[in-house]
């Protein structure tokens, strides 16, 4: 009837595959908007879940919601992150294979929240025995600890993950969660010593000051006010209203007590955290010879006490450098600038390695040796594509990581799906998509890619600088279609690229990177002198982090870029052997506001998350496919010709069966070895018939 809104007009469709104008981006956007307006933040594209951050509590993560989604057919209930979790879980249990759920989207889109909801879902709904409750609690409580040490406030997200996280949840053969394992990727160490306006350092520093007991703070030589610490106050937002550091401290303290941390561990750990704050407050002054000196050694004394090192040796290591001449060591004084560099390098190294120690410690508490036969569901919550006003080495690594994950998605969905239709001889109109392998190669190719060029610049004898690195890039990859610099862009394009910058045309859009700091961050050098001090520390955590063997090993450690590249390639190897599920998170506006749907921002995300391509492949394709044998085995009782036994070829049996139960020609196609069913509803109807 005219003038009356149908439910579909009001709330849109819950699977984009059902959109009539499925090739139109504006129809896609409109559907998302309708649903968002009704607080329906989830929509499917087939089995992929699109989620829009509501920036408000919607009451959709209750125990009764969890119960609702348990063991129900995927498409029978409205889309939900629980449905994705439940589906992966049930497939894992029935097929005894490994799964992963890849959660992607830009900063603030809701990745970490989604991963937490999934973990909670498993914790509540999976079968459990009394003796395994502790394993479950540890899994859950590892999250606040990692967030305290690895997340920070940025302008885009008050709780932004500044490290990548892959977490395997391990299940025994009965589907009980028995343990886990976490791998962390590239924590943003530069934040320890510097934050832009509107940003904070990692949460743990503020939590300790706001919530730490008076005696604890006194024993660490700390005051409560974060403004007193240089490393905490540069972003001018040390106190931030939506963040309740004092409460968060309580959560983290409780988590520490459940996950095997002893009082001695905590004393050492917070000794390190406090030392970092003291380090930041060391002031250097230039003496008459132009060398650095420390007029007030108050901080040095505290650091020496907390780290168990000799204050005089520490002072010397911060203001001098050991140079190895032929037969002897020469000690040279540093300038103020170099001392500041050494101090910051020490703070970053100490924090970065302590974070790795923390992840290892959590992992050892999540190990469950009693269970050998395990299947896993992996959760990947990794930094999304980032474009800031100024983009540096960190953004370069993060965006490269996103290129690699896009490759995985292409390989596993767009490419694999189309290849299967081809091999099964199903008629098929190929869907075009941009394959970003060309950009991955530009970054990672051996000897020719940007990472290799950067590494070569880092080891080249003679004065390599950020400028010489840029010149090398121009020389070696200057002709690449996805690479530009001011010099190469020509009269039209040069204006928006600075002299020290290069631009990459990523699959998700253009990003201009400043080469400033690339060499230094890739090298990540800690003066040997300081390393020696740290290796001699009496703080047991630092002793595990800085091994004497490292001093004896004269070989250059791999650069940060190379380590990251290698860890990503192992991650992809790990994922490629598992069954995937995807969650694509969308950020609705830049202001963290509920109910605000910014068309421009969302369109951009739809584009670069490749949602339209995904929809086209899904829509043109088939939601379900089953081997003839399996299909027949399951449904043969529905047809007198195939029940109780069918002795002919399975394909023919399936043909008889589906004709008998009334499948329409447009609903399915028969391939060489499998039946392909276009929409889930066809299969549900068959399942229902089967139940009666
Ligand atoms: P980053 O890449 O910076 O780590 P992210 O994608 O992990 O970003 P989250 O930290 O998950 O983003 O989400 C940012 C904030 O958005 C959360 O702190 C929360 O306030 C809100 N939010 C996200 N998802 C939801 C949700 N499903 N329901 C309610 N609020 C949400
Ligand atoms: Mg996050």
């Amino acid at each position: 009837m005219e003038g009356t809104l149908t439910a579909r007009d009001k709330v849109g469709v819950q699977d984009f595959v059902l959109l009539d104008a499925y090739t139109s981006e504006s129809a896609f956007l409109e559907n998302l908007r309708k649903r968002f307006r009704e607080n329906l933040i989830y929509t499917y594209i087939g089995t992929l879940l699109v989620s829009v951050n509501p920036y408000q509590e919607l009451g959709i993560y209750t125990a009764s919601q969890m119960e609702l989604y348990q063991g129900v057919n995927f498409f029978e209930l409205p889309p939900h992150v629980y449905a994705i979790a439940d589906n992966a879980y049930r497939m894992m249990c029935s097929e005894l294979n490994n799964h992963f759920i890849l959660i992607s989207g830009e900063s603030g889109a809701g990745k970490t929240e989604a991963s937490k909801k999934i973990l909670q879902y498993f914790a509540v709904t999976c079968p459990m025995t009394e003796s395994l409750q502790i394993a479950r609690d540890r899994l859950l409580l590892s999250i606040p600890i990692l967030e305290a040490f690895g997340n920070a406030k940025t302008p885009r997200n008050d709780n932004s993950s500044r490290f990548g996280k892959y977490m395997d949840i391990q299940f025994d053969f009965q589907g009980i969660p028995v343990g886990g394992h976490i791998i962390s990727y590239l924590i943003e160490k530069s934040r320890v010593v510097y934050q832009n306006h509107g940003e904070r350092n990692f949460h743990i520093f503020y939590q300790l000051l706001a919530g730490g007991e008076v005696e604890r703070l006194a024993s660490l030589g700390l005051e409560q006010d974060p403004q007193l610490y240089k490393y905490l106050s540069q972003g001018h937002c040390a106190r931030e209203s939506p963040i309740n550091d004092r409460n968060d401290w309580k959560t983290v303290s409780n988590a520490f007590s459940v996950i095997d941390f002893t009082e001695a561990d905590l004393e050492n750990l917070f000794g390190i955290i406090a030392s970092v704050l003291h380090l930041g407050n060391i002031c250097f002054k230039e003496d008459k010879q132009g060398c650095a000196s420390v007029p007030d050694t108050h901080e040095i004394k505290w650091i020496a006490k907390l780290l168990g090192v000799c204050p005089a040796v520490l002072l010397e290591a911060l203001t001098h450098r050991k140079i190895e001449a032929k037969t002897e060591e020469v000690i040279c004084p540093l300038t103020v600038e170099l001392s500041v560099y050494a101090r910051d390098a020490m703070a970053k190294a100490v924090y970065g390695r302590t974070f790795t120690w923390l992840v290892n410690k959590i992992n050892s508490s999540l190990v469950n040796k009693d269970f050998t036969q395990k299947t896993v569901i992996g959760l990947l919550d990794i930094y999304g594509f980032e474009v800031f006003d100024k983009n540096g080495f960190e953004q370069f690594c993060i965006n490269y990581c996103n290129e690699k994950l896009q490759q995985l998605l292409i390989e596993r969905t767009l490419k694999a799906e189309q290849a299967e239709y081809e091999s099964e001889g199903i008629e098929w109109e190929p869907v075009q998509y941009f394959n970003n392998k060309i950009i991955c190669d530009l970054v990672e190719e051996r000897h020719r890619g940007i990472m290799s060029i950067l590494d070569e610049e880092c080891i080249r004898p003679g004065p390599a600088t950020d400028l010489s690195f840029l010149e090398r890039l121009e020389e070696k990859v200057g002709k690449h279609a996805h690479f530009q610099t001011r010099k190469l862009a020509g009269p039209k394009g040069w204006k928006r690229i600075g002299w020290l910058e290069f631009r990459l045309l990523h699959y998700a859009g253009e990003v201009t990177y400043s080469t400033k700091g690339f060499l230094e961050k890739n090298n990540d050098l800690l003066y040997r002198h300081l390393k020696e001090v740290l290796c001699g520390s009496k703080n047991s955590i630092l002793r595990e982090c800085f091994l004497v063997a490292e001093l004896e090993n004269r070989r250059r450690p791999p650069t940060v870029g190379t380590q990251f590249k290698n860890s990503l390639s192992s991650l992809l190897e790990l994922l490629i052997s598992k069954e995937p599920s995807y969650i694509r998170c969308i950020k609705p506006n830049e202001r963290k506001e509920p109910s605000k749907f910014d068309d421009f921002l969302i369109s951009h995300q739809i584009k670069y998350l490749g949602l339209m391509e995904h929809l086209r492949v899904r829509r043109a394709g088939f939601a379900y496919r089953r081997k003839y044998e399996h299909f027949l085995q399951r449904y043969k009782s529905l047809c007198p010709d195939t029940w109780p036994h069918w002795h002919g070829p399975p394909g023919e049996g399936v043909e008889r069966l589906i004709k008998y139960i009334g499948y329409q020609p447009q609903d399915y196609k028969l391939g060489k070895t499998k039946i392909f069913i276009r929409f889930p509803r066809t299969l549900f109807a068959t399942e229902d018939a089967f139940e009666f």
Side-chain angles (χ1 to χ4, degrees):
M1 224 194 312
E2 238 181 70
T4 313
L5 281 179
T6 63
R8 186 184 166 113
D9 288 335
K10 193 153 177 262
V11 301
V13 293
Q14 67 173 27
D15 187 337
F16 285 106
V17 170
L18 303 173
L19 271 184
D20 297 328
Y22 70 94
T23 53
S24 143
E25 201 189 297
S26 60
F28 192 104
L29 190 69
E30 188 50 35
N31 193 51
L32 211 56
R33 189 206 331 269
K34 275 184 194 162
R35 296 180 63 72
F36 187 70
R37 207 185 291 141
E38 299 293 320
N39 284 340
L40 301 169
I41 60 166
Y42 296 124
T43 312
Y44 292 132
I45 304 178
T47 52
L48 176 147
L49 181 73
V50 179
S51 158
V52 188
N53 185 348
Y55 280 120
Q56 58 180 317
E57 293 308 323
L58 294 177
I60 54 174
Y61 305 110
T62 57
S64 57
Q65 283 279 315
M66 289 188 186
E67 208 175 308
L68 194 65
Y69 278 87
Q70 235 182 304
V72 175
N73 265 328
F74 194 75
F75 293 99
E76 285 183 10
L77 285 172
H80 202 292
V81 67
Y82 292 160
I84 297 282
D86 194 72
N87 194 48
Y89 177 75
R90 278 189 304 130
M91 300 235 292
M92 176 195 74
C93 290
S94 66
E95 293 170 16
L96 288 180
N97 53 7
N98 296 319
H99 287 250
F100 73 87
I101 302 176
L102 192 158
I103 309 169
S104 46
E106 67 188 59
S107 179
K111 301 180 292 293
T112 301
E113 290 298 318
S115 78
K116 288 196 273 193
K117 303 291 186 246
I118 293 173
L119 194 60
Q120 280 157 3
Y121 182 78
F122 291 141
V124 172
T125 61
C126 292
M128 181 54 56
T129 64
E130 213 168 298
S131 62
L132 283 167
Q133 276 174 11
I134 185 81
R136 176 196 62 188
D137 293 348
R138 283 180 180 166
L139 266 172
L140 285 173
L141 290 170
S142 63
I143 303 292
I145 298 186
L146 287 175
E147 284 194 7
F149 285 80
N151 288 24
K153 177 194 153 51
T154 69
R156 283 157 188 80
N157 184 354
D158 291 346
N159 184 33
S160 184
S161 318
R162 309 315 298 162
F163 68 108
K165 184 180 77 206
Y166 174 76
M167 180 187 221
D168 260 341
I169 310 165
Q170 301 161 340
F171 297 86
D172 77 348
F173 70 100
Q174 291 173 295
I176 302 178
V178 293
H181 186 78
I182 294 164
I183 306 175
S184 68
Y185 296 91
L186 196 68
I187 177 139
E188 185 194 44
K189 284 189 297 189
S190 56
R191 178 169 300 273
V192 176
V193 300
Y194 180 73
Q195 310 91 42
N196 285 321
H197 192 84
E199 307 213 356
R200 299 206 312 176
N201 208 321
F202 293 100
H203 296 322
I204 189 64
F205 293 108
Y206 307 90
Q207 292 172 357
L208 171 64
L209 298 187
E213 308 74 13
V214 178
E215 311 82 67
R216 188 187 289 277
L217 293 187
S219 71
L220 298 169
L222 296 177
E223 307 272 342
Q224 270 199 331
D225 183 1
Q227 311 283 359
L228 297 172
Y229 300 97
K230 185 155 169 278
Y231 282 165
L232 302 188
S233 52
Q234 299 160 89
H236 300 282
C237 59
R239 290 225 172 85
E240 195 52 34
S241 60
I243 304 177
N244 190 334
D245 293 313
R246 189 189 285 257
N247 266 358
D248 292 344
W249 168 261
K250 283 189 199 138
T251 312
V252 173
S253 302
N254 170 48
F256 274 129
S257 65
V258 176
I259 301 179
D260 280 343
F261 283 78
T262 61
E263 196 37 54
D265 285 334
L266 294 182
E267 204 173 293
N268 286 318
L269 183 60
F270 290 110
I272 293 172
I273 295 302
S275 300
V276 170
L277 294 181
H278 290 305
L279 263 173
N281 280 6
I282 296 178
C283 289
F284 298 99
K285 246 186 122 175
E286 199 173 79
D287 66 11
K288 288 194 188 103
Q289 287 80 39
C291 306
S293 67
V294 179
D296 180 353
T297 55
H298 174 78
E299 279 85 15
I300 300 269
K301 285 180 194 139
W302 269 109
I303 301 165
K305 178 172 182 284
L306 296 168
L307 300 188
V309 300
C310 164
V313 175
L314 175 65
L315 178 61
E316 187 190 63
L318 283 168
T319 50
H320 293 75
R321 191 175 171 182
K322 270 188 195 167
I323 296 177
E324 285 174 44
K326 269 185 195 132
T327 50
E328 52 177 351
E329 272 182 350
V330 184
I331 298 204
C332 296
L334 295 174
T335 60
V336 168
E337 195 186 343
L338 284 176
S339 284
V340 168
Y341 174 82
R343 176 197 71 187
D344 288 352
M346 174 170 161
K348 286 188 280 186
V350 163
Y351 193 86
R353 293 195 193 194
T354 302
F355 186 75
T356 309
W357 175 88
L358 199 70
V359 174
N360 292 338
K361 176 87 186 163
I362 290 174
N363 277 335
S364 53
S365 95
L366 296 179
V367 170
N368 201 330
K369 292 197 196 74
D370 299 339
F371 296 87
T372 45
Q373 217 196 348
K374 284 178 263 200
T375 49
V376 305
I377 296 181
L379 291 179
L380 186 65
D381 166 17
I382 211 151
Y383 10 58
F385 189 72
E386 282 187 353
V387 195
F388 297 152
D389 294 338
K390 279 260 169 269
N391 303 292
F393 181 68
E394 286 85 359
Q395 280 69 47
F396 173 73
C397 289
I398 287 172
N399 293 341
Y400 160 58
C401 167
N402 279 276
E403 293 283 357
K404 294 292 283 179
L405 292 175
Q406 177 70 4
Q407 267 290 290
L408 181 79
L409 187 94
I410 287 176
E411 291 287 331
R412 293 301 300 261
T413 58
L414 305 180
K415 212 163 147 183
E417 181 117 350
Q418 307 208 52
E420 177 158 47
Y421 297 140
E422 204 165 297
S423 73
E424 285 283 330
I426 298 279
E427 233 174 78
W428 167 257
E429 180 82 27
V431 171
Q432 295 302 319
Y433 58 89
F434 171 65
N435 190 340
N436 68 333
K437 181 166 185 303
I438 181 171
I439 307 169
C440 293
D441 290 346
L442 167 64
V443 176
E444 69 184 7
E445 221 176 350
R446 266 179 150 222
H447 306 303
R448 296 214 299 245
I450 297 177
M451 287 283 193
S452 284
I453 299 169
L454 178 61
D455 279 2
E456 276 166 29
E457 260 326 81
C458 284
I459 54 171
R460 189 165 64 88
T465 60
D466 296 328
L467 178 63
S468 69
F469 164 54
L470 188 73
E471 286 168 349
R472 250 332 126 86
L473 286 180
E474 284 174 335
E475 193 185 302
K476 295 208 165 163
V477 293
K479 293 206 174 69
H480 197 287
H482 291 260
F483 179 88
Q484 286 176 351
T485 62
R486 184 180 171 111
K487 196 165 117 192
L488 299 168
K492 274 193 189 149
W494 67 269
K495 275 191 182 138
R496 288 173 297 123
I497 312 182
W499 281 116
L500 265 181
E501 293 177 344
F502 67 93
R503 179 178 295 162
L504 289 187
L505 312 184
H506 283 287
Y507 82 94
E510 293 179 359
V511 186
T512 308
Y513 299 97
S514 162
T515 54
K516 203 162 168 276
F518 262 61
L519 292 184
E520 182 196 316
K521 286 179 179 163
N522 190 45
N523 261 329
D524 196 27
L525 270 187
L526 181 65
Y527 290 147
R528 187 178 171 80
H529 208 153
L530 277 172
K531 248 189 215 168
E532 282 173 8
V533 173
L534 293 168
C535 287
S537 161
K538 293 204 175 64
N539 181 308
S540 66
I541 296 178
L542 279 196
R543 264 220 310 279
E544 282 179 46
C545 295
F546 292 88
L547 300 175
V548 180
E550 194 180 326
L551 291 174
E552 286 157 5
N553 183 359
R554 297 277 157 173
R555 281 187 34 211
R556 234 186 136 80
T559 59
V560 173
T562 297
Q563 279 181 45
F564 186 59
K565 187 174 109 178
N566 294 342
S567 63
L568 271 186
S569 109
S570 333
L571 171 68
L572 291 187
E573 256 169 52
L574 201 83
L575 297 183
I576 212 96
S577 63
K578 298 184 164 80
E579 291 300 315
S581 306
Y582 301 98
I583 302 178
R584 301 296 233 183
C585 299
I586 291 182
K587 180 156 114 169
N589 61 71
E590 288 285 11
R591 299 209 300 255
K592 307 171 191 167
E593 273 179 29
S595 315
K596 187 160 184 330
F597 192 91
D598 179 333
D599 285 9
F600 181 75
L601 192 74
I602 296 173
S603 290
H604 180 63
Q605 293 170 75
I606 291 173
K607 265 195 209 84
Y608 84 68
L609 290 170
L611 298 182
M612 296 309 293
E613 284 100 327
H614 200 88
L615 173 57
R616 263 183 280 139
V617 171
R618 261 285 156 222
R619 168 78 188 215
F622 299 84
Y624 277 101
R625 63 216 59 192
R626 288 238 171 124
K627 285 240 178 238
Y628 289 136
E629 293 85 341
H630 296 160
F631 190 83
L632 203 56
Q633 185 58 30
R634 176 135 184 92
Y635 301 115
K636 63 184 180 182
S637 62
L638 298 177
C639 167
D641 289 356
T642 50
W643 178 257
H645 298 293
W646 170 257
H647 296 292
E652 272 174 36
V654 168
E655 218 171 334
R656 290 260 184 107
L657 168 63
I658 56 174
K659 278 216 175 96
Y660 183 80
I661 56 177
Y663 276 23
Q664 297 302 306
Q666 66 275 18
D667 291 340
Y668 69 92
K669 280 228 160 79
L670 298 175
K672 286 185 187 143
T673 65
K674 289 178 184 171
I675 173 171
F676 290 78
I677 297 175
R678 198 172 284 284
F679 295 115
R681 59 169 185 258
T682 311
L683 199 69
F684 291 154
T686 315
E687 281 280 329
D688 287 346
F690 173 71
E691 276 172 17
F692 286 107

